[in-house]
Each structure stands twice: as C-alpha cells, then as structure tokens.
Amino acid sequence: MQYSSEVQNMCPISRGPQHESAPIPVEGRWVSPKDVIAISGLSHGVGTCAPQQGAAKLTLNVKNGIIEEALIETIGCSGMTHSAAMASEILTGKTILEALNTDLVCDAINVAMREIFLQFVYGRTQTAFSLDGLPIGAGLEDLGKGLRSQVGTHYGTLAKGPRYMEMAEGYVTKIALDDNEEIIGYRFVNVGKMMESIGKGVPATEAMEQATGQYGRFDEAARTIDPRHE
C-alpha cells in the first residue's frame, strides 16, 4: 500500500464504533453481504440503448451469487434480438458481478443488467421476502401459456385515430367500432396457443379458430376493420 507524504505525516486517530453494513433481505433472510456469493433472488431489469430505439427486459434467477436462469425479452430493435440470443448463452454460470462486465454487444441489455444488479445488491428483488426464493424455471413461467412475451403494439395519428395491433391476449385481427366510430372491442389470435396446436398436428385453419377470442363489446359493433390495412 502506498501513501502520499501528506497522509504519512498525519497523526493517527482512533475510529469509533465500526458497524457492519445494514442488512438486506435475501430470499427471506437478513444478510450483511461482504461477497457477491451472499446474494440470491429473482428480479427484473429494463434498459434502453443510447438512441432508445429499443428496450430489453432481463429476468435473472440468482442462487449464491451465480446466475442460474436468465430470460431476455426485447422490443423495437432487430439487432437486439441477436444480442439477446448471445446473452442467453453467456450470462448463466456467471456471478452477477461478472455479468456486469460481459460484452453483450447491445447497450440496452447491458443497462438492464446494471439496473437489475442494483436491485440485487440493495435487497430490492422480487423474492426478497420469499423464503428460499423461487426454483429455477420460475423466470420461464413468467411468460405464461404459449411461452410468449406479453407485447403491446398500438398506433395512432391525429388524422386517422388509433389502431390496436397487439394486446396481451394476442395479435389483433379486427377492431370493433360503434356508431360514433369509437373502438369498443377487438378480436385477437393467441399466437402461442395457435402454434402449440399446430405443433400437435391440428390443421392451421382449425388451430387459428381455436385460438381466436374477442374482448369488449365486439358483438355490438356497427362495423369492424382490419387495423393494419384499413
């Protein structure tokens, strides 16, 4: 250890009480972490790149400092999907500290990693007060049936008004309008459910019909339109 001459010439003064850092909740226990291996939990982080043309959501399940499970969801940038593919291979097996310094190419995923790291080390994880946290696989269960990310796509102009294109339920095929030309409902296709049926041998047309549903007062529509072409 090197000290400057100014520090070397100082007289020593005793320090007062030396308390540990404040404990943080880690999977149902109070822990005063000194090493990264003391950190466990499941949580989420969201980040964007510098031009903010896309966003990434990162879900990590960490046990004893090691990333055991990683879910990467992206939107708005085609290149980001390739970086997410890399991240699914690179992140697992690393400590959350190592993951901060892993080149994931995509800034948005790196920012999401930074934000989720802060949640872990400050005891703000989703499982902070859940004894022993969640099993490996819990991140995948966040996707729900069909294992597809929940995506919303909506568009609007002053001249032509709003268009609902994708809701949590699925891909919107028709939007319902009343006599005032206001949206009162929509018809959708649950793409995840449809693809699962096709994978089991159900004909595509039949699978699409089985995965089709509607929301709101769709049956009361004065007329319906295709939100992408009308």
Side-chain angles (χ1 to χ4, degrees), residues 26-121:
V26 175
E27 293 192 338
R29 297 175 177 86
W30 290 100
V31 176
S32 294
K34 293 182 175 63
D35 299 298
V36 71
I37 59 172
I39 301 296
S40 296
L42 182 140
S43 204
H44 317 274
V46 175
T48 64
C49 54
Q52 298 190 23
Q53 65 188 37
K57 177 190 173 187
L58 184 60
T59 301
L60 298 181
N61 200 346
V62 175
K63 301 294 184 184
N64 300 317
I66 304 294
I67 298 172
E68 297 285 350
E69 177 186 18
L71 170 66
I72 307 98
E73 302 173 83
T74 68
I75 189 169
C77 175
S78 58
M80 194 184 295
T81 63
H82 294 74
S83 295
M86 291 172 56
S88 68
E89 298 187 42
I90 293 171
L91 290 178
T92 53
K94 286 182 167 57
T95 68
I96 54 174
L97 185 59
E98 288 177 304
L100 278 178
N101 297 303
T102 299
D103 183 11
L104 297 176
V105 181
C106 174
D107 244 5
I109 300 177
N110 282 322
V111 171
M113 184 64 225
R114 181 193 71 197
E115 295 302 313
I116 198 172
F117 179 87
L118 293 175
Q119 292 183 41
F120 276 107
V121 297

